[in-house]
Each structure stands twice: as C-alpha cells, then as structure tokens.
Amino acid sequence: MLHKAEGFDRRKFTMAGILVAMGVVYGDIGTSPLYVMKAIVGDNGGLARVSESFILGSVSLIFWTLTILTTIKYVVIALNADNHGEGGIFSLYTLVRKKSKYLIIPAMIGGAALLADGVLTPAVTVTTAIEGLRGIPAFFERFGNDQTIIVVITLTIILILFSVQRFGTELVGKAFGPIMFLWFTFLGIIGLMNFSQDWTVIRALNPYYALQLLVSPENKLGLFILGNIFLATTGAEALYSDLGHVGKMNIRISWPYIKICLILNYLGQAAWLLTVKENPEMQALAEINPFFQMIPRGILVFGVVFATIAAVIASQALISGSYTLVSEAIKLKLLPRLKIIYPGSNIGQMYIPAVNLILWLACSAIVLAFRTSTHMEAAYGLSITITMLMTTILLLFYLLDKIPAWSAYLISLFFSAIEVVFFFSSAAKFFHGGYVAVGMAVFLLCIMIIWERGNEIKEATAEQVSLEKYVPQLKALKEDTSVPMYQTNVVFLTSDRVDGEINRNIIYSILDKQPKRANVYWFVNVQVTDEPFTQEYSVDMLGTDFIVQVQLYLGFHISQEVNVYLRQIVHDLMKTGRLPKQPQRYSLTPGREVGDFQFVLIQEELSNVSELKKWDRQIMQAKLAIKNLTTSPESWFGLEYSEVKYESVPLIIGPQRKTHLVERKNRS
C-alpha cells in the first residue's frame, strides 16, 4: 500500500499498472522464497533427514497453497469485493457492515492481526537476506558464523528504512516496479537453472505428494509442517489490501507471471536439494538456505544485494500498508486520532509518526530478541492466519448478495476449513515467538474495543437538543450590542450528524458558559463514508442567515482538513446569496469579504455523577486516557494555524447519581 498509482487508469490493464503492481502488491509474497524451504528443511532436522518424497511433498504443498489461497480465494474471488476500487479487510467491512452490527468483531480482529504481522515482516525478510552474506567466502572468512554482525547490519538497514519515511517515498516508489520485475525474473531464472538439472521435480505439482507428506513418518512435524508452508502465502492478504493502488485487472494479469517465477524458484530449490542431499559437507552444515546455496558462486554477491533490496521493498510495502490500515481504522472510529502527514503529491502516500516509531521500535526489538531468521520464522505467520479467517467471514456476507446462498456458504466453508487447519498448525509457533505478534494483535484489539465501545456508550446516552428551539435566543444574542462581540464566525465541531439536533454542551457553551456573540454560528460535522474518496457537503441554515449546519461527507481515505473545506463553503454560500458578506475595514487584503473565525473545541471529562456500570465506566475512563495521549482535535482537523479555543465540560453519561443531603437544623 505504498501510494496511489499515477499516470494510468486503475480500472484498465496497462504496463504502468503491471509495474506498479509488482512493486507494491507482491513485495511480501515475492520474498518468501528466501526463507520458506529453509524453514521447512531446518525444522525437519536438516538436510540429512529429508528424502526425495519429503522435498517433493513440501513443494507440492507450497504450490497448492499458493493456488487455493492466493490464486482462487484472493485473486479470483476477493478482488471482486472492492469498495470503489479499494480493497482490504476494512474496505470489505464497509461493504457488509449493514448486514450485522457484530461484523465489527471480525473486522477489528483481522485488522489488529494484520497490523501485528507488519511488525515481523521487515525483521524476518531483511535478516534472512543479510544472512546470505555468509555464502560469500570473503565475508565468511572475516566474520564466520558471528550473528552479531548480521544483527548490526540488519538494525542499520531497518533504522534507515524507518528514518526515510518522513520524507515520503514517491521517487523511490516509482522505481519499485521495475526493480521487483527484475527480482521476479531473477527468481525464475535461478530456479529454472537448477530445475533443469532434474526435470523430474515437476512431479511436485501432483497433489498426491502433498497429501502423502502430511501423513508420512518422514515428516517429523506432522500436520504442523503447514505452519512453515503457510509462509509462502503470507503476502496474499497484502495483495488484497493493495487493490486500490493498481486495480484488479493489473493484479490478475500480472499474477500468472509472478506465480510462475515463484514456482520455478521453489522447483529449483527442490532440484538443488535432491542434488546435494547426500553430500556429507552439506549435511554437516548447521543451517542451510537452499535459496542462496543454489545461486552460482560468481553472482552470489549480486544475489545477496538483490535479495536485500527486495526485502527492503517488501518491508516498505508493509510499512506503508500499516499507515493506510491505521488511517482507515481511524476514519471508521476504530482507533483514536493520530497525526497523519502527507509528504507526497497524492493522498495515498501518508506518514504517521506514531505508527512509524512503534513499528521501528518493535522491529528492532524483534531483531535483538530473536537474532536469527530461523527464530523469527518460528514466530512468523500465526497472526496472518487469523486475518485470513476474518476476511473469509466478511467475504461470506459479501458473497450472499452476489451468488446463491448455498454457493456462498460452500465457498466460505471450503476456505475457512483450510485456514483453520493452517491456524492450528501455526498455533505451535505461539510458544516459539508467535506470542509476540499475537500479543501485539491483542493489544491493538483492546484499543479498538475500548474506542469502539466508548463511542457506542457515548452516542447511546448523549443528550441532544433541538437547535431550531434555540434560534430565537441565538438571534437575540447576535443582535445584543451590550454583549461584546466574541468573533465574526464561531465554529463548533460536532460529533453528531447534522439532523436538526445538537449536543447540549454546545448550546451551553454559547449561551451559558460565556455568551458568545457572533454574526454567524457554524456547526460542522464530519461523516466518513463507505466510499474511499468522497468529498461532498450539505448545508442546513434553518431558514436563517446566521446559523449554518454543515455536514461534510469525506471518504475514509480523505484527510479531514476542516479549515480548508470551510473556506470553500463560505465562498459558495456568499456567492449564492445565502450568507451575508462580512466586509472587513482593516485587512491586508483589499476588499476582503470574509470575517475572522474562532473554532471552539469541547473537551469532555467523565463526571463522577454519571451512573455507569463498572465495566462501562472503566471503558470510558480508558478511552479518555487514550484520547489524551493521542493527536489533539486541533491537529486532526487541520486547525493548527486557526484560532482555536478549548472548553472543558463534564461528560455525564446515563442517569445522574442522586444526592441525599439533609438540612441540619439549628440545635438549641
């Protein structure tokens, strides 16, 4: 999810779209050959303990996993579930959320798990690539098996990677496509070179070998081998999430080439393993990575450098994807507001400092704690199986509207059965480091639950009043010259939709707390739409020329820069004569017809007089505590350079606790 592709129509097949797809969509799945076979062979006891049937069965499982999950589920089916061209679990949720309020649960679980997976990807891919340096004689002679130098190089690359995020990656991003095209071509050629040494490994495409391996005594892990097999398809969910950047046509047309290159590489690794499995020197190696071992020695340095670049690109795609995922969750009110910066020239390229810092610290901590890619692989993949399961649940409700119900249930049952097996086979990773990703997912899920439930409690009990009822008082206040002019325009940002009613606290602020005399009272609400790029508004002036209720409709991909939008609305209303002009006597701009603005932001503090259940009170206290740690409304709504005033009001939810004071009589 790097940036919105420019220069081509996402709805059509174009060469530009194909290149962008390769650079943005396939980064994760394209680096899987670096570690999948390494993990499979290593966890079975090493090269000395694998047989021909084991090797063929492993590649067969990889092939059919890529075919069933990546090709059929995601490329063929899920890409149809686009929300105006956008994909991903949150976009899918917006398509089906009207079906049931409980669908928020799989959306939150899947989103949290996908974010947690983004922490492990940079760590495992970059570490694996750097470990390939050991195959270079000069490097091995100097450092041997010293893992510290690998860790230092990996941490340095990760630090640089996260440090450059603030500057945007638009220029670098344009080069990602051609580089990844060359990377996949390199995968295919290297694989074919080794595959040609033993064409018989083509037998691995027969599903018989896959099924045989699952029950074979040669398979020391049994069904749990699927935990390593699953690593080959972890990028499938990212493929769906990145739909909006290139369009389904470009993904579907480019995927066959990607898959062929991947399968050729896995077949090449299988052929190489069959060639050297009886070699005592190879068997004596403590750890073996078929990917780097099968590269000719003369180009190994090039291969390691190329793999590192591909790993960085894959990591960049996951990092940018995390920004997009968090941004969508914020717009859907599943996460608190965070500061979002748009360093590029398009809305799709964003940078969230808080997320960037957390990801960098988490990735660095994982590298320091696990040190080797082998240990990281043992933890990798568990959380993404959860995301895939949640996507399947949401996909069921989407399919129910598109195909006969029995077909929808059958398709969902088929994929969920496979994913449940993968989940339980990956569950063994929990005690080998999988708890890190699961722990992060649970932490994120708790924040989502607190935020969503807190909003639900507040909205269910918020006291609303009719704005029309207070029109006479607002008019009288506007015309009362005995009250000092507060500002020409006073703007209140409301949390409720503009429908004739307004939060009582706002009216209290205008009339009671400090009478705010103004020429125009603005009440602005932002509604995030299910469409990603909506930019619309509606106005209700209640038959006056001094009260303006503004309803902004912004897509979940659009930044909420209220100050900018309000400026346009003012000019639109003045142009049509609905709003009187506000000529300024003193101004740097001759003929200025718009007065000054004061934005009033209401800060709520939970009142002790609220009668709430213990659990709900704790939820609200946690929500307000989190809110205080995150971006201020001023920053979120783009009001940093506007006149903003904060007013604190007690947040009273539900019935007020009754008091029982008794007047004390004078005693003689």
Side-chain angles (χ1 to χ4, degrees):
M1 286 174 265
L2 188 61
H3 56 82
K4 291 294 166 195
E6 296 177 327
F8 67 93
D9 188 342
R10 291 180 299 163
R11 295 169 297 179
K12 298 178 181 179
F13 158 66
T14 63
M15 288 308 299
I18 292 292
L19 286 176
V20 173
M22 290 186 178
V24 176
V25 175
Y26 301 118
D28 189 3
I29 207 166
T31 51
S32 295
L34 294 178
Y35 48 79
V36 174
M37 288 301 292
K38 169 177 169 283
I40 293 171
V41 173
D43 284 355
N44 202 63
L47 190 60
R49 295 182 177 273
V50 298
S51 64
E52 179 182 86
S53 60
F54 178 90
I55 295 169
L56 293 176
S58 298
V59 175
S60 184
L61 283 169
I62 291 171
F63 172 77
W64 287 104
T65 298
L66 284 171
T67 299
I68 294 172
L69 288 184
T70 309
T71 304
I72 299 177
K73 178 186 173 181
Y74 284 97
V75 176
V76 175
I77 298 176
L79 290 187
N80 289 321
D82 68 297
N83 187 346
H84 294 265
E86 294 296 311
I89 193 163
F90 286 138
S91 289
L92 179 57
Y93 163 67
T94 59
L95 288 174
V96 300
R97 62 178 171 180
K98 293 179 181 178
K99 298 282 186 180
S100 171
K101 65 178 182 179
Y102 297 108
L103 290 178
I104 189 68
I105 297 173
M108 289 193 297
I109 294 173
L114 188 57
L115 280 170
D117 178 72
V119 172
L120 280 169
T121 299
V124 70
T125 54
V126 176
T127 302
T128 304
I130 298 303
E131 285 176 345
L133 290 170
R134 290 204 182 104
I136 302 172
F139 183 90
F140 188 78
E141 289 174 9
R142 175 67 178 83
F143 298 104
N145 288 316
D146 182 12
Q147 188 65 20
T148 301
I149 186 64
I150 301 295
V151 170
V152 170
I153 295 174
T154 300
L155 288 175
T156 302
I157 291 174
I158 288 176
L159 174 61
I160 294 171
L161 177 63
F162 282 99
S163 297
V164 301
Q165 298 301 314
R166 70 186 65 192
F167 304 111
T169 54
E170 186 172 8
L171 293 177
V172 179
K174 290 178 179 178
F176 283 2
I179 291 173
M180 290 306 288
F181 169 73
L182 293 174
W183 168 251
F184 283 109
T185 303
F186 176 74
L187 289 180
I189 292 173
I190 293 298
L192 185 60
M193 288 170 59
N194 288 272
F195 177 28
S196 64
Q197 302 301 312
D198 186 356
W199 295 107
T200 64
V201 295
I202 194 69
R203 292 174 291 162
L205 303 189
N206 186 338
Y208 166 78
Y209 290 96
L211 297 174
Q212 182 190 48
L213 179 61
L214 293 177
V215 296
S216 171
E218 295 177 352
N219 174 14
K220 307 302 180 185
L221 294 179
L223 196 63
F224 291 107
I225 193 176
L226 292 176
N228 288 328
I229 297 295
F230 186 75
L231 297 178
T233 192
T234 52
E237 188 69 36
L239 179 150
Y240 177 42
S241 297
D242 289 318
L243 168 62
H245 297 281
V246 292
K248 68 180 73 174
M249 285 297 294
N250 291 305
I251 293 177
R252 283 175 172 164
I253 292 174
S254 60
W255 171 243
Y257 180 77
I258 302 300
K259 185 179 178 183
I260 289 171
C261 290
L262 289 172
I263 297 304
L264 281 175
N265 194 268
Y266 286 121
L267 289 171
Q269 292 188 48
W272 181 85
L273 285 168
L274 289 176
T275 302
V276 303
K277 70 182 183 67
E278 303 298 339
N279 187 325
E281 291 184 7
M282 288 294 178
Q283 291 181 355
L285 292 176
E287 189 175 272
I288 189 168
N289 189 332
F291 177 82
F292 289 111
Q293 293 286 349
M294 73 174 181
I295 297 176
R297 300 298 94 180
I299 61 170
L300 182 58
V301 175
F302 170 78
V304 173
V305 172
F306 209 174
T308 304
I309 294 172
V312 169
I313 291 175
S315 301
Q316 175 62 60
L318 264 294
I319 293 168
S320 300
S322 297
Y323 297 155
T324 303
L325 202 64
V326 169
S327 173
E328 291 177 356
I330 291 170
K331 304 291 175 59
L332 293 171
K333 296 184 179 180
L334 298 178
L335 284 177
R337 293 167 179 158
L338 298 171
K339 184 177 183 180
I340 301 178
I341 299 171
Y342 297 88
S345 60
N346 56 77
I347 194 71
Q349 188 184 51
M350 65 186 69
Y351 166 64
I352 306 179
V355 174
N356 192 69
L357 177 62
I358 292 170
L359 285 176
W360 171 64
L361 290 174
C363 283
S364 300
I366 286 169
V367 172
L368 288 170
F370 290 88
R371 294 183 64 82
T372 70
S373 63
T374 301
H375 292 150
M376 294 178 202
E377 290 153 11
Y380 191 38
L382 175 56
S383 60
I384 203 68
T385 60
I386 299 172
T387 302
M388 285 190 173
L389 265 170
M390 298 304 105
T391 298
T392 299
I393 293 172
L394 296 175
L395 202 56
L396 166 63
F397 288 87
Y398 171 81
L399 292 174
L400 285 172
D401 281 341
K402 304 297 180 180
I403 59 177
W406 67 268
S407 299
Y409 282 111
L410 189 63
I411 291 171
S412 300
L413 182 63
F414 173 72
F415 288 119
S416 60
I418 294 173
E419 287 159 356
V420 165
V421 172
F422 273 115
F423 170 73
F424 282 110
S425 65
S426 298
K429 296 185 175 188
F430 181 84
F431 299 103
H432 298 283
Y435 57 83
V436 174
V438 172
M440 288 197 65
V442 170
F443 175 73
L444 290 167
L445 181 60
C446 287
I447 293 178
M448 288 184 183
I449 291 172
I450 289 170
W451 205 255
E452 201 275 336
R453 175 58 183 160
N455 288 332
E456 192 177 82
I457 294 170
K458 180 182 172 183
E459 290 171 4
T461 57
E463 185 178 355
Q464 302 292 106
V465 295
S466 171
L467 182 57
E468 191 170 6
K469 178 182 176 182
Y470 292 92
V471 169
Q473 287 198 58
L474 292 174
K475 182 179 181 182
L477 176 60
K478 171 181 177 291
E479 297 172 349
D480 188 351
T481 56
S482 66
V483 178
M485 178 65 75
Y486 184 77
Q487 208 88 3
T488 307
N489 298 275
V490 178
V491 184
F492 288 87
L493 296 173
T494 73
S495 59
D496 307 295
R497 290 192 59 180
V498 173
D499 56 2
E501 291 193 337
I502 199 166
N503 192 294
R504 180 182 180 277
N505 288 330
I506 294 177
I507 296 298
Y508 174 82
S509 172
I510 297 174
L511 300 178
D512 294 83
K513 189 160 188 175
Q514 176 190 354
K516 296 177 174 61
R517 180 173 167 236
N519 285 345
V520 183
Y521 297 95
W522 299 80
F523 306 96
V524 181
N525 172 255
V526 178
Q527 180 186 353
V528 179
T529 67
D530 290 347
E531 292 77 24
F533 302 110
T534 306
Q535 295 185 71
E536 299 173 350
Y537 75 92
S538 63
V539 168
D540 183 1
M541 300 183 68
L542 300 179
T544 74
D545 62 358
F546 61 90
I547 294 176
V548 186
Q549 286 187 291
V550 178
Q551 180 69 66
L552 285 172
Y553 301 92
L554 302 178
F556 58 82
H557 266 320
I558 302 299
S559 60
Q560 299 184 10
E561 297 174 314
V562 172
N563 193 22
V564 176
Y565 300 127
L566 196 58
R567 191 178 303 126
Q568 178 196 331
I569 294 170
V570 170
H571 286 289
D572 288 351
L573 293 178
M574 287 184 175
K575 187 176 180 180
T576 57
R578 286 181 285 175
L579 188 70
K581 294 181 179 180
Q582 303 166 352
Q584 301 297 297
R585 179 177 297 180
Y586 306 106
S587 174
L588 285 172
T589 307
R592 178 181 169 185
E593 296 177 334
V594 179
D596 49 2
F597 281 78
Q598 174 75 62
F599 291 85
V600 180
L601 301 177
I602 305 295
Q603 285 187 316
E604 297 167 328
E605 298 176 1
L606 188 62
S607 172
N608 289 326
V609 302
S610 298
E611 282 194 350
L612 281 174
K613 294 178 182 178
K614 183 178 179 181
W615 173 247
D616 286 345
R617 174 172 286 277
Q618 290 175 342
I619 287 284
M620 290 305 301
Q621 288 174 336
K623 180 179 183 292
L624 292 175
I626 294 170
K627 185 177 180 181
N628 291 333
L629 295 174
T630 55
T631 299
S632 66
E634 178 182 355
S635 177
W636 174 256
F637 289 113
L639 305 177
E640 294 95 332
Y641 304 107
S642 303
E643 288 291 328
V644 178
K645 180 180 180 182
Y646 286 91
E647 286 191 355
S648 296
V649 297
L651 179 58
I652 301 174
I653 300 177
Q656 297 184 32
R657 189 175 66 249
K658 296 179 180 179
T659 57
H660 302 282
L661 286 175
V662 177
E663 182 182 2
R664 177 179 290 186
K665 304 295 184 181
N666 289 330
R667 297 176 182 176
S668 55

